[in-house]
Amino acid sequence: MRRPLAVALTTLLSSSAAAVPYAEYILAPSQRDLSPVKVHQANGTVINAAEVTTSGSGGTTFNSVSAVTYDYTKNIGGLVSFIVSSSSDSEQYIGISYTESSLWISPDGSDATQNIAIDETLWFKITGPGNYSVEPLHDRGGFRYLNVYHNTTGNVTLSHLQTYFTAMPHFPDDGIGEYTGYFHSNDEKLNRVWYAGAYTDQLCTIPSTAGNSLVDLDATDPNTPTVWWSNSTLTNGSSAFTDGPKRDKLVWPGDFAISVPGVFLSTDDAITVKLSLQQLFASQNATTGALPWFAQPIYVFPENSFINFGKVVFSFNYHLFTLLGLHNYWIYTGDDEYLQQNWNRFKLALNYSLSFVDETGLANVTSSFDWLREGMGGHNIEANSILKHTLDVAVTLAYAVNDTSHIASWKNSSATIVSAANTLLWDSSASLYKDNETTTLHPQDGNVWSIISGVASANQSTDISSALAARWGPYGAPAPEAGTTVSPFITGFELQAHFLAGQPQRAIELMQFMWADFMLDDPRMTNSTYIEGYDTSGALHYPAYADDARISHAHGWSSGPVLALSTFAVGLHVLNATNWIAHPQPGNLTNVEAGFKVDHGTYSGNYSVTAKGASYVLSTPPGTKGSLVLDTPGCNASVKVTGSDVGGKHGKKFSWVKQVHGHKGVASTPWKCGVWGPSPPAHQDGSAGTITIDNLAGGNYTVDIVCS
Ligand SMILES: *[C@@H]1O[C@H](CO)[C@@H](O)[C@H](O)[C@H]1NC(C)=O
Ligand SMILES: *[C@@H]1O[C@H](CO)[C@@H](O)[C@H](O)[C@H]1NC(C)=O
Ligand SMILES: *[C@@H]1O[C@H](CO)[C@@H](O)[C@H](O)[C@H]1NC(C)=O
Ligand SMILES: *[C@@H]1O[C@H](CO)[C@@H](O)[C@H](O)[C@H]1NC(C)=O
Ligand SMILES: *[C@@H]1O[C@H](CO)[C@@H](O)[C@H](O)[C@H]1NC(C)=O
Ligand SMILES: *[C@@H]1O[C@H](CO)[C@@H](O)[C@H](O)[C@H]1NC(C)=O
Ligand SMILES: *[C@@H]1O[C@H](CO)[C@@H](O)[C@H](O)[C@H]1NC(C)=O
Ligand SMILES: *[C@@H]1O[C@H](CO)[C@@H](O)[C@H](O)[C@H]1NC(C)=O
Ligand SMILES: *[C@@H]1O[C@H](CO)[C@@H](O)[C@H](O)[C@H]1NC(C)=O
Ligand SMILES: *[C@@H]1O[C@H](CO)[C@@H](O)[C@H](O)[C@H]1NC(C)=O
Ligand SMILES: *[C@@H]1O[C@H](CO)[C@@H](O)[C@H](O)[C@H]1NC(C)=O
Ligand SMILES: *[C@@H]1O[C@H](CO)[C@@H](O)[C@H](O)[C@H]1NC(C)=O
């Protein structure tokens, strides 16, 4: 693939960029030409199968009917090519197939992109020595296993086998792993979880011209492998942020509600987010304001039934996720101009959502499309919580664009949703909200969103957090609204909900057993990227799909721990380009730190348990300001905050000291977590809740908590 000059220049510039700490955890490859790492399995007569892996030097012969499955040991994506050094004659064939999970390794095809059957093997007629390459339309965005199959008598010898890594196309060839963010803690599982989340988002960032894998969805024969390709153009630039690199390879806004912050916290890839967001807004219905379930590609040929279906489908929540995506983009970029450009679209869209609100004060959802759950209708708690949250976001954005005319009415609608939802949908006997008035089902999605949005009060949040945790199974948090499904997407929001409910240890535990023990370490996984969903039994079955081989093993919507760890555990909450809240919630971690660089500056936080208490070192950009929020210690303590070079002024110091009464009976951790919602917490000095210091100028601060 040829590199444009601009990218070549970036390469030169990037070599001088300072490396972020903990780069050894980064899963992104250091260059684009990737040979397989090892042989997973060989069948038939293969001589020197490992010679075309990274540990060999070329010369693998396939004799008669034989096959080798190569293992990249992590999920990758791109264009395969190989060099044939000799063949017995000019009537030989080599077939290539791909899978993310080891479950679907087969000479007859790849794992699936369509709804039925597996994807066909790509065949090459070997006429003699030479280079053989997969065409660009067969850019396979996600695979760990690469199967090479020889189906005839005679022989073929390969001297080289590689994949040209195509994800992150706009990053320098040797700078795919140049992260702007990092994370580290005393828990190795969480360290791997964060980096796999960041890498999942990178694999989802594909070349703009390699989009849309849903080309043969009408296929009906489960026994005939389907044709597959991806050559739609998704954005007006070189990259696109898609749901998944194998499938669908489309821009879906559900992902933007959770993986966009993860992108900023790890690679600061603002341009891809902007291009992709723009494509969502471009598909807005100018009359109604309805935003699409997924973005229409810029160019797709031939016509395709699913893409056309996308033109008419409306999803109440996905519509709002595009608006939340714009907010997420704006928070980290401070791009007021872009916000202003889309502001009328934002208002039109929000107005459309409000048109569903009836006399109860709640929206009555009339479209069933959501994240593949069922029963998304009526006065649904998830939809109304997300609407309430979007109204609050709208108020924030309205101030930023100086358009205050709707603020009173949006605030009113937001408050009405809270009271109506609590009257109609709160089930105090279960300490959970019902899905709607006519059911006893208590959904995961609506309950976690009730906490994030502030539909639930602080006390309700505490109870919901306990009730949700009580439902966990061995493989994760269930989403009963979708049958027997575990949804890492919704559970990514559940992580935030536990932190917001003052229960960080629950979020940490969930990441440990669900994301690390199962989603990384289970041998059916890629050990590097996150699956989109599975069954509560641990079966890799997602109810929406007839064909289990279709499940994507790299889905940005499952990368929620990146946000949960950097923002919540380490406590670096960026509110906008000028304001932040620092509130570490380490649970029982003894050390946890993170940092990231965005357009307006660099943030870092480092919490550690010390011999007599705990310390927290914080750095925020000059020119910003914020609040430091500390959970009341678990001991009577002296809390001392010192600052240096405050507000970017050399030598300017800050000092604050207070004796505080600790929480009783929390000996296990020096910091007992208070409850705080999405808006800054109330000041509560003393024995309960949190200690807040407002109006801190951006700079470096050290907090020392010394138990007395
Ligand atoms: C491949 O087949 C040719 C023709 O039968 C034979 O001469 C050659 O020895 C074989 N090569 C290997 C490596 O088996
Ligand atoms: C290897 O052989 C086994 C057993 O026959 C079969 O299940 C598997 O699909 C084969 N794998 C390849 C890559 O040919
Ligand atoms: C090998 O595969 C090619 C491509 O599918 C096919 O044309 C050929 O008939 C196969 N050969 C044998 C012996 O199965
Ligand atoms: C916009 O929505 C209206 C109402 O659903 C529909 O009639 C119209 O066709 C849509 N316009 C476009 C361009 O899709
Ligand atoms: C995509 O590939 C298919 C299959 O080769 C081809 O028919 C189609 O014209 C291509 N479309 C584009 C946009 O290149
Ligand atoms: C209310 O929720 C239940 C449980 O999810 C669901 O079966 C039902 O269809 C929902 N009602 C509507 C109108 O969608
Ligand atoms: C929601 O609207 C639909 C369609 O207008 C209506 O049939 C249904 O009764 C309404 N649901 C509620 C809970 O009001
Ligand atoms: C940034 O957030 C702070 C705190 O919420 C707010 O006071 C300020 O007005 C915001 N700035 C902009 C540009 O929205
Ligand atoms: C909003 O008004 C403030 C103060 O007048 C100004 O600094 C800012 O640039 C305006 N923002 C926009 C987007 O117009
Ligand atoms: C999974 O990947 C990690 C590196 O991220 C590696 O240390 C570990 O050995 C791998 N596990 C397996 C089972 O390969
Ligand atoms: C944190 O708590 C969990 C149980 O919630 C426990 O398994 C783990 O060992 C604890 N870790 C530390 C460092 O205390
Ligand atoms: C502030 O903290 C950052 C991050 O740790 C560090 O790079 C910088 O040198 C510190 N500045 C001062 C003045 O201490």
Side-chain angles (χ1 to χ4, degrees), residues 2 5 11 29 151 197 215 240 293 338 465 475 483 498 503 538 622 669 695:
R2 259 157 284 139
L5 184 62
T11 312
N151 70 342
V215 297
W293 197 26
Y338 185 71
S465 168
Y475 305 102
H498 291 302
Q503 298 295 337
T669 162
N695 278 317

Side-chain angles (χ1 to χ4, degrees), residues 336 340 399-402:
D336 287 333
Q340 188 74 60
Y399 285 119
V401 296
N402 299 329

Side-chain angles (χ1 to χ4, degrees), residues 17 20 35 42 56-57 103 127 170 188 190 200 212 235 258 270 277 298 334 370 398 401 407 409 481 667 698:
V20 291
S35 292
S57 55
L103 284 176
T127 52
H170 56 316
E188 232 8 84
L190 296 184
T200 299
N212 178 28
T235 70
I258 197 152
L277 202 50
I298 283 177
D370 196 28
V401 296
I407 287 180
S409 110
E481 65 276 27

Side-chain angles (χ1 to χ4, degrees), residues 115 247-248 372 532 541-548 550-552:
N115 207 20
R247 197 219 85 242
D248 298 334
L372 300 177
E532 67 178 322
H541 170 71
Y542 198 48
Y545 307 144
D547 183 357
D548 290 344
R550 187 167 195 249
I551 295 175
S552 160

Side-chain angles (χ1 to χ4, degrees), residues 127-378:
T127 52
N131 289 3
Y132 295 82
S133 301
V134 160
E135 299 161 89
L137 84 160
H138 285 130
D139 187 333
R140 192 79 180 179
F143 62 92
R144 171 177 167 174
Y145 301 96
L146 173 62
N147 200 62
V148 180
Y149 180 34
H150 178 247
N151 70 342
T152 44
T153 54
N155 65 51
V156 172
T157 300
L158 304 189
S159 61
H160 186 70
L161 172 65
Q162 72 163 43
T163 301
Y164 180 82
F165 187 85
T166 53
M168 303 298 290
H170 56 316
F171 269 42
D173 292 348
D174 61 354
I176 310 162
E178 268 170 21
Y179 284 17
T180 44
Y182 64 88
F183 171 82
H184 194 257
S185 74
N186 63 299
D187 187 299
E188 232 8 84
K189 287 183 186 179
L190 296 184
N191 299 342
R192 287 173 57 214
V193 162
W194 190 94
Y195 284 91
Y199 184 57
T200 299
D201 290 338
Q202 286 195 292
L203 268 199
C204 292
T205 305
I206 66 168
S208 171
T209 50
N212 178 28
S213 60
L214 307 182
V215 297
D216 198 13
L217 275 184
D218 300 330
T220 52
D221 179 3
N223 299 315
T224 306
T226 50
V227 298
W228 61 276
W229 68 73
S230 355
N231 57 7
S232 300
T233 300
L234 299 182
T235 70
N236 254 320
S238 55
S239 55
F241 191 45
T242 64
D243 58 333
K246 179 190 82 165
R247 197 219 85 242
D248 298 334
K249 304 185 98 172
L250 289 169
V251 176
W252 282 93
D255 306 280
F256 282 61
I258 197 152
S259 49
V260 163
V263 167
F264 284 105
L265 297 169
S266 56
T267 59
D268 195 29
D269 184 10
I271 183 66
T272 304
V273 172
K274 184 178 181 176
L275 288 166
S276 308
L277 202 50
Q278 201 45 45
Q279 207 46 33
L280 286 160
F281 278 111
S283 312
Q284 185 174 33
N285 182 316
T287 312
T288 61
L291 288 157
W293 197 26
F294 60 87
Q296 285 287 312
I298 283 177
Y299 180 54
V300 42
F301 180 85
E303 288 238 345
N304 163 319
S305 58
F306 187 78
I307 300 296
N308 286 335
F309 178 60
K311 288 181 184 156
V312 294
V313 171
F314 176 70
S315 160
F316 190 91
N317 290 337
Y318 276 45
H319 169 85
L320 294 171
F321 285 148
T322 295
L323 303 185
L324 296 180
L326 175 61
H327 180 236
N328 282 330
Y329 169 81
W330 175 81
I331 286 176
Y332 296 101
T333 60
D335 189 346
D336 287 333
E337 195 184 318
Y338 185 71
L339 174 62
Q340 188 74 60
Q341 275 167 24
N342 285 297
W343 182 241
N344 284 335
R345 295 189 180 99
F346 186 104
K347 284 192 292 182
L348 189 65
L350 187 57
N351 217 27
Y352 187 54
S353 302
L354 288 171
S355 73
F356 291 84
V357 173
D358 61 23
E359 67 287 351
T360 62
L362 295 178
N364 174 6
V365 179
T366 52
S367 152
S368 62
F369 295 94
D370 196 28
W371 60 271
L372 300 177
R373 56 153 296 172
E374 288 141 33
M376 167 46 63

Side-chain angles (χ1 to χ4, degrees), residues 182 602 604 617-619 644-645 650 699-700:
Y182 64 88
T602 301
S604 64
V617 180
L618 170 71
S619 179
S644 60
D645 285 8
H650 188 63
N700 289 9

Side-chain angles (χ1 to χ4, degrees), residues 330 400 575-576 578-579:
W330 175 81
L575 302 181
N576 56 40
T578 53
N579 284 72

